[in-house]
Every structure is written in C-alpha cells, then in structure tokens.
Amino acid sequence: KQEVTQIPAALSVPEGENLVLNCSFTDSAIYNLQWFRQDPGKGLTSLLLIQSSQREQTSGRLNASLDKSSGRSTLYIAASQPGDSATYLCAVPPNAGGTSYGKLTFGQGTILTVHP
Amino acid sequence: DTAVSQTPKYLVTQMGNDKSIKCEQNLGHDTMYWYKQDSKKFLKIMFSYNNKELIINETVPNRFSPKSPDKAHLNLHINSLELGDSAVYFCASSSRLVSSYEQYFGPGTRLTVT
C-alpha cells in the first residue's frame, strides 16, 4: 500500500527566502507525481506535474524534482512571498495501467507561512 | 470561467437526512472523481467515473452513491447521514489526452452533520 509523507509538517520563513518542501513515497511504481497548493477554505490548485520518466519540472519560481528510485520529490520555491502562504500537497498515482492512473494517494501536506 | 464547479458550497443537515452534492466540469475531461478531506485535512479518494462508467470504488459505506449522467457531471448522493460524514468533499477531473491525467479540483463542499 502506497504511503506518502511530507516533511516538514509546517514551515515559517521570512519573505525572500528560498525554501524546499519534501515529499517521500514508499512504492516507486508511480505513474507521475503532482504538487498542489491549497489555500484555507479553498480547493486544490495544481502547481506542477512530473511524469515518472522526468527528473524535474519548472513553473515560474517553482521547481519540482523527482527521484523515483529513492522515492523522493522536492518542491523548491525561490524568493518566497507572503502570497505563497498555503498548504502544499504532493500526490502520486500507481503505475498499474488504465484506470489506476487517477487514483491519487496524498501526503498530509506542509503548511507554509511566509511573513513580511 | 469556472473549470470545476460544485454545489452547494456549504451544506448543514441533521443526522439521518439524505443529501446530494453536484459537480460539473467544462474542461472537456472524461474522468471525474470524488475525494473526502477529513477534519485532519487528509485527502482520500472515494470514487471515479470514466465516460459515465464507475472505475474506482474505494472502501466507502454504501450509503454513498455516485452517479454520472454524462462525462461532464458527477453527483454524490448520501443516505442516512451520520456525524462522521462531516467533511469537505472535493470533486476533480482529468483526461489522458487533455491533461495527461493531471487532476483539476473544484472548490469543495463543506458538509456538516448535526
């Protein structure tokens, strides 16, 4: 059974810092890895999706890396801003064919606070 | 233009009642999902439909019955509501061709059972 762990559970940084969020998974047979952001009382916003054959993806100040063999992914946020404050979640589906690709297993999230 | 929408946003009801939540997506996706986020913020998949066919059915009480009238809509009906059903329910959608299975989520429906 896939288990996804995110460290740290919470992080508070001053504005402008570069930071790294960690995600680990126990079963390396994944189809892809997706990072989401959730603002309080809101839904999830997809940030980045890394296919299992890829090593990293970038979008603006965000860079996500994937090391499938070691079961780890990191989300790097450059020059953090107060608007980045949110809960960040990673999720993986199994690479078991067909309908399994949508069966996401989520980590418990990292609560990020960026203070001015 | 809302990509994945859910109604209602909030739902407060008493134990024993029956209620429905509706979801619609305008992304052209062919797969839709229901997730439950509990009080500890843990997200877990409940159901998934692909082109109106149920393809994922996790260990969920049979008081929960999803229904997909077409590939743009997915509803969730809950019978005989219990206190433990209180949670935020999220709908999501994806497509192999359109989004490489990247999932897009709705804003959630906060269900409170009293």
Side-chain angles (χ1 to χ4, degrees), chain A residues 31-32 34 36 38 41-44 46 49 51 99 101-104 106, chain B residues 9 33 35 37 42-43 45 55-56 58 90 100-103 105-107:
Chain A
Y31 185 70
N32 58 41
Q34 201 166 349
F36 295 89
Q38 185 175 24
K42 300 286 177 68
L44 279 69
S46 179
L49 181 146
Q51 299 293 353
T99 62
Y101 297 148
K103 193 174 172 181
L104 292 179
F106 279 85
Chain B
K9 188 169 174 60
Y33 312 83
Y35 288 85
Q37 187 172 45
F42 185 65
L43 260 166
I45 191 167
I55 57 173
I56 295 174
E58 291 298 282
F90 287 101
S100 299
Y101 294 110
E102 183 174 7
Q103 292 192 21
F105 280 71

Side-chain angles (χ1 to χ4, degrees), chain A residues 40-72:
Chain A
K42 300 286 177 68
L44 279 69
T45 301
S46 179
L47 297 173
L48 290 164
L49 181 146
I50 312 176
Q51 299 293 353
S52 61
S53 57
Q54 296 176 319
R55 298 285 292 182
E56 65 178 316
Q57 278 284 351
T58 298
S59 176
R61 294 182 294 107
L62 305 179
N63 176 277
S65 68
L66 174 64
D67 184 342
K68 201 174 72 161
S69 60
S70 67
R72 286 189 287 190

Side-chain angles (χ1 to χ4, degrees), chain B residues 11-12 14 23 28 30 40 52 67 70 76 79 101 114:
Chain B
L11 187 52
V12 181
Q14 291 184 327
C23 178
D30 57 6
K40 296 183 180 178
K52 302 192 294 179
K67 192 168 290 186
D70 56 62
L76 182 65
N79 290 323
Y101 294 110
T114 61

Side-chain angles (χ1 to χ4, degrees), chain B residues 87-113:
Chain B
V88 181
Y89 292 85
F90 287 101
C91 175
S93 71
S94 73
S95 166
R96 179 181 67 85
L97 295 176
V98 176
S99 70
S100 299
Y101 294 110
E102 183 174 7
Q103 292 192 21
Y104 293 80
F105 280 71
T109 295
R110 182 173 294 277
L111 172 65
T112 303
V113 183

